Amino acid sequence: MRLDELDRRIVARLLEDGRASFAQIGTAVGLSAPAVKRRVDRLRADGVITGFAAVVDPAALGWTTEAFIEIFCTGATSPEEIHSSVRGHPEVVAAYTISGDASALVHVRARDIRHLEQALERLRREDNITATKTSIVLSRLIGRPIDAPDGRGAAPDGGGDLGASSDMPGQTARDRLSRP
């Protein structure tokens, strides 16, 4: 689905504050609250907006260590097989198939280095994983919820860092909660 400029501005406003009312969004984009609701409902039905969630600082939940792990698999392992191997590990917060030497890249969060090592050992025991290469995150420089398809940030003016993580000084996590 192609988004028009109003749809983009509504999505940008929701990314900025997922708890904003339809009336507040309407004021920001020049529409009535019912018109915004119809558009948001359509964006949800079309799969553009896939849900609303609270964005929480992982450190507040005890996840103070994160890493990216390159996973190397046996032969021609399918994305489905890789997914099956990593999905049961609660420390895995994202996984991607990638180009290059590795089969996949996995984003992991852990309580500390010891917990990271334990998670890594469990991943390495998966039958189709033959090797791993781990890079531990020292600091997060940018953390956006999404980038616009044209490569610009999702801010209404095309710039900015709407989703900066709360571990950056002076910035807080945004709440994105579903409306009743």
Side-chain angles (χ1 to χ4, degrees):
M1 160 178 203
R2 290 192 58 89
L3 303 181
D4 66 20
E5 186 58 31
L6 281 173
D7 289 337
R8 288 181 187 280
R9 291 174 58 203
I10 290 168
V11 169
R13 183 70 176 102
L14 286 169
L15 286 170
E16 185 178 304
D17 180 4
R19 294 181 65 185
S21 70
F22 295 133
Q24 291 169 319
I25 296 168
T27 299
V29 302
L31 291 175
S32 67
V36 171
K37 182 186 182 317
R38 281 191 300 275
R39 283 180 175 258
V40 170
D41 288 346
R42 180 180 44 80
L43 291 167
R44 290 187 75 182
D46 291 345
V48 173
I49 297 174
T50 58
F52 296 88
V55 178
V56 179
D57 178 2
L61 300 176
W63 301 92
T64 60
T65 302
E66 66 183 312
F68 288 90
I69 303 170
E70 289 181 71
I71 292 180
F72 299 83
C73 295
T74 56
T77 305
S78 72
E80 292 79 17
E81 291 170 306
I82 295 169
H83 179 260
S84 293
S85 294
V86 301
R87 76 172 175 226
H89 298 270
E91 299 85 1
V92 174
V93 295
Y96 313 90
T97 55
I98 58 173
S99 62
D101 295 332
S103 303
L105 182 66
V106 177
H107 183 193
V108 173
R109 288 203 176 108
R111 290 183 304 277
D112 52 32
I113 293 295
R114 181 177 174 175
H115 182 205
L116 175 62
E117 183 176 23
Q118 292 166 349
L120 190 54
E121 288 172 3
R122 279 188 279 110
L123 276 168
R124 288 178 178 154
R125 284 196 294 266
E126 293 290 338
D127 290 338
N128 60 349
I129 297 177
T130 59
T132 61
K133 181 179 176 185
T134 303
S135 297
I136 297 172
V137 174
L138 299 177
S139 62
R140 180 183 299 229
L141 302 176
I142 297 174
R144 293 185 179 126
I146 192 166
D147 282 332
D150 62 2
R152 297 179 312 163
D157 64 355
D161 184 13
L162 292 177
S165 68
S166 60
D167 53 354
M168 294 299 290
Q171 297 175 337
T172 60
R174 288 186 188 81
D175 291 328
R176 284 185 201 89
L177 301 174
S178 182
R179 291 179 182 85

